[in-house]
Every structure is written in structure tokens, then in C-alpha cells.
Amino acid sequence: MTARSSLTVVLAAGEGTRMRATLPKVLHPVAGESLLAHVLAAASKGEGARLAVVIGPEHHSVEQEVKRLRPDADVFVQRERLGTAHAVLAAREAIVRGADDLLVAFGDTPLISAETFARLRAPLATGAAVAVLGFRAADPTGYGRLLLRDGRLVAIREQADASEDERKVTLCNAGVMAFDGRKALQILDRIDNANKKGEYYLVDAVAIARDMGLEAVVIETSEDEVRGINTKAQLAEAESVMQTRLRQAAMEAGVTLIAPETVYLAADTTFGKDVTIEPFVVIGPGVSIGDGAVIHSFSHIVQASIGKKTSVGPYARIRPGTSLGDGAKIGNFVEAKAAILEEGVKVNHLSYIGDAEVGANTNIGAGTITCNYDGFGKHKTLIGKGAFIGTNTSLVAPVKVGAGAYIGSGSVITADVPDDALALERSPQTVREGGATRYRESKLRDKKPKGA
Ligand code: UD1
Ligand code: CA
């Protein structure tokens, strides 16, 4: 069987006013990626899958996000919000080009899985003209109701237009629909706005298809999966559903999560074999974790690659652009940013390593700071392999420390240190014999008159 071609039209012209945010609704993140990114990834997958996104006027940032995710996508602007069918037809140019299937998804419904979209498309290959994603709503108020006669889908009725009996129906429209690509335009062009709200309703496609003697079917899924997002509270619920899924998938892939409900992952986090993540770890976007790595509690990692058998934390912050080599060890209260640490590097305590490259097996002592910022620009610290950076060293960048070099504790290093050299920058220590005793006695003498 040859793969069927498909066009996915994602409706993202929503105003999102109930989010009370400057950010357009579909750009809000769930598990480190925008709502739109989730929808595009699940709805438009595989070869021969074309994509069109319908956005609102002046939504340049939404257009940018689409182009970032899918440079091949067509973006259409719906100038006036006249309803979901009107929005789909904003992408007419793409629909006219033809596809076996036309799938319509909403940009603010990020939890529908790729499997469910595939399930929805399946009946089109066997003769249905329209397939509707349905669910049993705990409270159907506000949703379009799926009306069946003799077990066959005959129409969808929006809340405002539904009779009292129709409102009792709990089988609801999730909003996502799939069409036989060769019949889609004929159906869509027949949709009018003769309803209470005066909108062009996509849902009318069902009754129209029936009128044309075509088949319409319902594919059911769970209510959890079809949650739409209108408010910040619903955004948080979606985050929670998504996190549960990601934790489950990670554990199924063999990751040990000691307290899964306390670990936050991103949709694109990748894991090797035998990874352990302790409680209360937050992983942002763009993180890969190698085989056998252990992420200890209270660590925060974003856009970084963690090598094999690497140990991070507890209480470590790994910031964007950081790469930790195999067997590296990052201990408590260590922050790394844009730092390339080769294999076996140890930074065990209380350090900041930013804009730096550190050669294999170098040991960085407690309290070492790369002074990478001079108030104007960022500068690099380069440390060779097998070096030893003593405790409480400041490395004032730009600066180079050679391979095998040794830096004495407490040094402020401002000039390059050659390979295998020992650098020490410290004022000479003075020792006064008996000085402490004399000091205490003088303090006690000063105190006496009060009590005496
Ligand atoms: C829609 C369905 C309803 C279903 C519900 C599920 C229709 C007519 N109704 O209702 O049956 O139960 O979703 O959540 O389809 N949009 C545009 N341009 C428009 C109008 C809408 O882009 O002119 C987009 C919105 O941004 C949103 C989606 O289409 O992403 C759905 O629109 P919305 O107004 O939220 O429809 P509902 O009333 O929720
Ligand atoms: Ca809605």
C-alpha cells in the first residue's frame, strides 16, 4: 500500500483573551514547547504530510513559530473571525492543491496524540468522507453534541442551537475533523452561517456530507486528550497531563525516576540507558542525558548535553550551551553556562563555570569562578586537560590555563598560565607568635571596667 498524502490545517486564529497575557495563546509553553509545537508535531507527521496554519491578523510571532518548527508550512491569515469553517477556508489555496486526507486541528488543543490523529484518518481510507473526533464529556455544556441515528453520525449541534433533548447528549465534538481530501471543498463550500451565532461552523460538514449521501463517522477518545486551553488554569492542567505522559514514557524507556511526580521533563528530553533521576529535578527543553548518568535532587538543566556515567548535583544548575563529557562530575551548588567540560572533569562544589572549555580530567576546586563578564562583554576561559585549579580561584577571562597546570588556592588569575606551570597569586602570609593570646587579653582588659 502506498502512503496516503495528507494536508493538515491547524486553526490558530484564537484571540486567547482569557489567558490575560501578552503572549498569543498558542505560544504558551507546555513541557517546554509551545501549544502550537505540540499540535504540529502530533497532527502533521510523516512523508507527504503538508501543513497549513491559519493565524489571526498581526500574529507575526505565531507565524515565526510556525516557520521555526516547519519551514515548509504555509501560513494563512484569517482577517475576520467568522467561524471555524471560515477559518479552514482561509487555507483554500492549500486545500485546492489536493491531498488524500484533509485534517483540521485546533492550535489550542495540545494533548491529542499522533496515534489518535492516525486513528481519525483511518476511516477515510475505507470510504468515509468525514471523521469526527468525539469524547464523552463529564459536563457537555459548551461543546458541540454528536447526534446519532441508528448508531450513525448524522449531525453536530452547537450548544446555542441545541434543543433541550440534544443538550442531554454527552458524546461531544472534540473539534478535530478529517475529510476525504477530494470531497472536502465541496462540503466546506456548502457551509453557511444560518445559526444563532451567525458563524460558519465546521461542524455543519457532517449534516452536509449526509445530505450528499456520504458517510460520516465518529472516532472516540478520552476527555483528557481533547482538553482545549483557554485559561492559565487549563494551561496548568495540560502541563500536568503532559508531565504524567512524559514520566511514563521515560520509565517505559528504562529511566529510573524515584519520585516521578516531582520530576519535570520537556517533550524533547532524550535519555540513554540506565539513567537515574532523583526527586525534584527540573529539565527544560533541549536536554540529552547519556547512558548511566545520575541526576541528583534539586538540579535544573536546560539546553545541555549530559555525557555517559556523568553525575550532576544535588543542587546543580546546568544552563544552555553546556556539554558535560562522559564521567564528568558536577557537584552541589555548581552553575555551568556555555561550558564544554570534557570527559572526567570534576567540579564538585560551589563553582561558576561560564563561557569555558575545560580539558579532560581537570579538577576544579571548590569556589572557583570564571569571571566571564566585564560589564560590557563575555569572555572565554580555556583550561587544558589534566589541570588542577585550586580552591577559591578567580579566573579573569579572557584567560588560558595550560594542560597539566596547577593553580594555587585563592589565586586571581589574570594572565595566561603555560602547560605544566604552577601559578600562585596571593599576598604573603604573616604570622605573629602569641598574637592571638595578646589580642584576647587586650579585649578582656577593655571589657573589665564595666563589670568591676
Ligand atoms: C468548537 C466546535 C465544538 C467543539 C469545541 C471543542 C465548531 C463550530 N465548534 O467550539 O463543536 O465541541 O470546539 O472544543 O467548530 N477559530 C479560528 N477562527 C474562527 C473561529 C475559531 O481560527 O473564526 C479557531 C480558534 O482559535 C480555536 C478553534 O478554531 O482554536 C475553535 O474555535 P472556538 O471558537 O474555540 O470553538 P468552540 O466554540 O470552542
Ligand atoms: Ca474552544
Side-chain angles (χ1 to χ4, degrees):
M1 203 183 99
T2 56
R4 289 166 63 85
S5 64
S6 80
L7 167 67
T8 301
V9 177
V10 176
L11 306 188
E15 290 165 340
T17 44
R18 288 174 66 203
M19 297 296 272
R20 312 231 183 284
T22 323
L23 194 66
K25 176 161 79 173
V26 295
L27 297 188
H28 280 74
V30 164
E33 280 176 11
S34 66
L35 301 182
L36 195 57
H38 288 284
V39 175
L40 298 195
S44 177
K45 240 186 172 170
E47 254 182 83
R50 284 195 292 126
L51 177 66
V53 182
V54 178
I55 65 173
E58 280 148 43
H59 271 177
H60 303 299
S61 53
V62 178
E63 180 164 7
Q64 278 169 2
E65 173 75 343
V66 174
K67 290 296 178 193
R68 182 182 75 82
L69 297 160
R70 283 285 297 268
D72 62 314
D74 292 316
V75 175
F76 298 93
V77 177
Q78 185 195 23
R79 307 234 159 256
E80 270 180 296
R81 264 178 74 91
L82 300 179
T84 43
H86 180 262
V88 174
L89 285 172
R92 180 186 292 274
E93 219 182 283
I95 301 170
V96 169
R97 262 180 264 147
D100 292 324
D101 305 336
L102 167 66
L103 188 80
V104 179
F106 293 169
D108 63 353
T109 308
L111 298 171
I112 300 175
S113 68
E115 291 69 37
T116 298
F117 281 115
R119 220 153 43 84
L120 185 68
R121 285 177 53 198
L124 303 175
T126 55
V130 182
V132 174
L133 190 62
F135 67 102
R136 300 272 166 193
D139 174 9
T141 313
Y143 289 113
R145 310 299 206 283
L146 301 186
L147 307 182
L148 307 184
R149 200 179 305 135
D150 306 326
R152 298 171 75 211
L153 179 66
V154 292
I156 305 179
R157 194 80 72 236
E158 288 301 285
Q159 172 86 14
D161 304 294
S163 69
E164 212 170 302
D165 270 354
E166 288 170 343
R167 286 187 184 185
K168 286 182 190 142
V169 173
T170 57
L171 184 60
C172 291
N173 174 27
V176 181
M177 274 192 212
F179 295 85
D180 177 333
R182 283 166 300 269
K183 305 200 174 98
L185 264 186
Q186 293 169 51
I187 299 172
L188 291 169
D189 275 331
R190 288 177 60 174
I191 295 175
D192 63 23
N193 64 349
N195 52 56
K196 284 257 167 63
K197 286 196 178 164
E199 285 187 15
Y200 295 85
Y201 282 159
L202 185 62
V203 301
D204 289 352
V206 170
I208 290 168
R210 282 285 170 215
D211 262 7
M212 294 166 69
L214 302 169
E215 186 70 13
V217 298
V218 185
I219 298 297
E220 272 196 56
T221 191
S222 72
E223 183 162 15
D224 252 358
E225 205 180 358
V226 303
R227 284 167 197 271
I229 290 166
N230 297 312
T231 64
K232 290 285 171 72
Q234 289 167 339
L235 183 70
E237 282 167 23
E239 180 75 48
S240 151
V241 171
M242 188 65 83
Q243 287 299 337
T244 305
R245 276 191 203 169
L246 292 171
R247 293 163 188 151
Q248 205 63 42
M251 290 187 285
E252 271 161 29
V255 177
T256 300
L257 299 179
I258 293 164
E261 66 287 359
T262 67
V263 171
Y264 283 77
L265 303 171
D268 64 351
T269 310
T270 64
F271 304 99
K273 280 196 173 102
D274 303 320
V275 169
T276 297
I277 301 184
E278 289 187 353
F280 300 101
V281 165
V282 175
I283 294 176
V287 173
S288 66
I289 301 179
D291 295 351
V294 180
I295 313 298
H296 296 280
S297 291
F298 305 106
S299 294
H300 189 282
I301 307 176
V302 179
Q303 282 170 34
S305 107
I306 312 295
K308 294 178 183 163
K309 298 206 165 145
T310 294
S311 162
V312 174
Y315 299 98
R317 181 169 183 212
I318 309 299
R319 294 172 53 198
T322 295
S323 157
L324 306 180
D326 295 349
K329 221 171 160 293
I330 298 297
N332 43 272
F333 306 106
V334 169
E335 174 179 346
K337 186 216 72 170
I340 313 292
L341 274 53
E342 288 177 3
E343 66 269 17
V345 168
K346 290 192 177 66
V347 192
N348 277 333
H349 340 262
L350 298 154
S351 289
Y352 172 61
I353 308 298
D355 302 304
E357 288 172 26
V358 183
N361 301 316
T362 283
N363 185 93
I364 296 194
T368 295
I369 304 290
T370 53
C371 310
N372 59 329
Y373 185 52
D374 57 14
F376 295 91
K378 298 282 167 69
H379 304 284
K380 287 199 103 174
T381 299
L382 304 175
I383 303 174
K385 59 182 186 214
F388 185 96
I389 312 296
T391 297
N392 199 25
T393 293
S394 298
L395 297 159
V396 182
V399 71
K400 259 189 223 169
V401 176
Y406 199 105
I407 310 284
S409 294
S411 296
V412 177
I413 298 298
T414 52
D416 291 354
V417 179
D419 289 0
D420 295 313
L422 185 141
L424 188 62
E425 188 284 330
R426 208 191 270 166
S427 33
Q429 179 170 324
T430 56
V431 174
R432 294 176 204 157
E433 289 290 346
T437 311
R438 289 195 295 281
Y439 176 77
R440 271 192 300 273
E441 280 169 359
S442 83
K443 283 296 182 192
L444 285 170
R445 241 188 338 266
D446 291 348
K447 231 179 158 186
K448 269 214 180 106
K450 244 190 172 180

